[in-house]
Amino acid sequence: MAVDTIRDRYQAAGHDHIFTFWSTLEESERKSLSRQLENLDINRVNRIYKKAIASEKEAADPEPIEPLPVGACESVVNDPASEKRWRSEGLQAIARGEVGVLLMAGGQGTRLGSSAPKGCYDIGLPSHKSLFQYQAERIARLQVVAETECNRPTGSVVVPWYVMTSGPTRRETEAFFTKNNFFGLSSKNVVFFEQGTLPCLTAEGKIMLESTSRVAVAPDGNGGLYAATRAPLSESNNSTVLSDLTDRGVLYVHAYCVDNCLVKVADPVFLGYCISKQADCAAKVVPKASPSESVGVVARRGEKFSVVEYSEISKEQAELRNSKTGELAFNAANIANHFYTTSYLKSVESFEDDLAFHIARKKIPTIDLKTGEVVKPSKPNGMKLELFVFDVFPFTKRFAVLEVARNEEFSPLKNAPGTGADDPETSRRDLLAQHKRFLERAGAQVKDGVEIELSPRVSYAGEGLEFVKGKTFTRSGYVENPEELDTLL
């Protein structure tokens, strides 16, 4: 596109200041800036800004918050019959090739003291497997379970994995998978795509410059997942996640965040529950650990399902209990673990302009338009705009919620080693404790102090361990295949 055309577009949108230093730029810098501006939908940026400002004003008079209505949330806890039925339905869908997985993995392990993508992190298990490897091997095991239990030929079941990176993590993520031979999965069934960005804006909504030849940008939040599924996979590949899902015949999608070591990837129970409910979109939740836990909850805002942040719930609301069950009224802790139909993901574009981005006011290094000097502010001088992955919930016609046990499915990795909560040590502890439960439920005994790590390829969720019944494990260790368990007796 000609530079004059680009400039006219930005001038009409009120952002002609972007060209302030054009006359001083080298030819390579002009090409770089032109390319960046051409790829940016400036009218969309203006719409997002106006909607975000309006929404922020409306938040001063929010709609009433209410707990989930009776029957809106079902639970697998203490309901083995329903769990078995949902698992069977989910496995059948997996066996038919109707299930795909979306992984939100754009973050770096900065809080963990690592600049690598968070999925590359080793939480200190005996195997030293990364989060990426654990999740890949769960997919591999689940494919085998679906083949076995649904009488499908070996190697016939595929669960495609769509890995959302960010600009800073994409290259390193792809290199990590390649170096590790995709952890045993076929490379053609692992699809990388990239989270989008939005320009940083001044309080007046004007685009900020990072340098005289580059616009300052920031990731558009984990809710950028939806727009990212419509974007070309790369400069050389015009396919999109949505087109790939369609080409493969995938009808149902499980989405989750990379930092949960207990996540059941493509969980057949969750899938079966959602399919049986004919849900368009659904959330998996865990009970709150305490009334004061700093976690958002799935609830009702007005007449619509929504995630309500803990800061929006009063102390009285947080402590309110159901008179019949004694459980907290606002008890459905959100864990960023979702279900979608592929058709629903496609429909998000039709209401995307109604989604209000959230404003994060930040200290953003920028260029002084008068002097051309870099300004490093001491207080917030601009805003980053983010969409949250749960912002689509209020627009869902058929929404469902499933409660699962926290100790079986949720152990987030958020904090630096040694923090004492949601850190590598707690992740390691929770995963090894789960493996001990797997063995004990199968009829084995595990001596106090013994830690046994089971490869996900041995068991996805405790299945396939019947042979340990009556055995007593006295030695710690890691097993990659079932036969190795006998060395730990």
Side-chain angles (χ1 to χ4, degrees), residues 205-224:
K206 300 298 184 183
I207 288 178
M208 302 176 75
L209 286 171
E210 176 186 284
S211 70
T212 55
S213 62
R214 182 164 180 80
V215 169
V217 298
D220 56 4
N222 58 15

Side-chain angles (χ1 to χ4, degrees), residues 89-235:
E89 188 160 355
L91 277 180
Q92 290 290 345
I94 290 168
R96 292 192 297 266
E98 296 173 352
V99 173
V101 173
L102 284 175
L103 167 60
M104 292 172 276
Q108 294 171 296
T110 309
R111 286 194 205 172
L112 305 170
S114 169
S115 61
K118 197 182 251 190
C120 300
Y121 196 81
D122 166 14
I123 60 174
L125 293 166
S127 67
H128 294 290
K129 291 180 179 179
S130 64
L131 293 169
F132 279 141
Q133 182 165 356
Y134 244 78
Q135 292 158 29
E137 292 184 354
R138 285 190 180 125
I139 291 174
R141 172 63 184 173
L142 188 59
Q143 291 173 164
V144 172
V145 171
E147 288 167 1
T148 302
E149 296 193 25
C150 301
N151 298 314
R152 298 296 169 115
T154 300
S156 65
V157 173
V158 171
V159 178
W161 198 17
Y162 301 87
V163 180
M164 185 174 78
T165 67
S166 61
T169 65
R170 180 163 188 169
R171 183 176 297 178
E172 193 168 353
T173 299
E174 292 193 29
F176 190 71
F177 273 74
T178 300
K179 178 183 177 182
N180 289 282
N181 296 314
F182 290 79
F183 310 107
L185 299 176
S186 170
S187 60
K188 67 181 180 182
N189 297 323
V190 180
V191 178
F192 299 99
F193 66 113
E194 196 168 312
Q195 178 181 0
T197 60
L198 283 171
C200 301
L201 304 176
T202 66
E204 297 74 33
K206 300 298 184 183
I207 288 178
M208 302 176 75
L209 286 171
E210 176 186 284
S211 70
T212 55
S213 62
R214 182 164 180 80
V215 169
V217 298
D220 56 4
N222 58 15
L225 166 75
Y226 304 107
T229 61
R230 303 193 302 268
L233 295 175
S234 67
E235 291 183 1

Side-chain angles (χ1 to χ4, degrees), residues 352-377:
E352 190 174 54
D353 284 348
D354 294 324
L355 298 174
F357 280 67
H358 306 268
I359 297 173
R361 290 177 172 81
K362 301 286 186 179
K363 294 181 284 188
I364 302 169
T366 188
I367 295 294
D368 186 309
L369 295 177
K370 293 180 180 178
T371 66
E373 298 295 320
V374 176
V375 176
K376 294 185 177 180

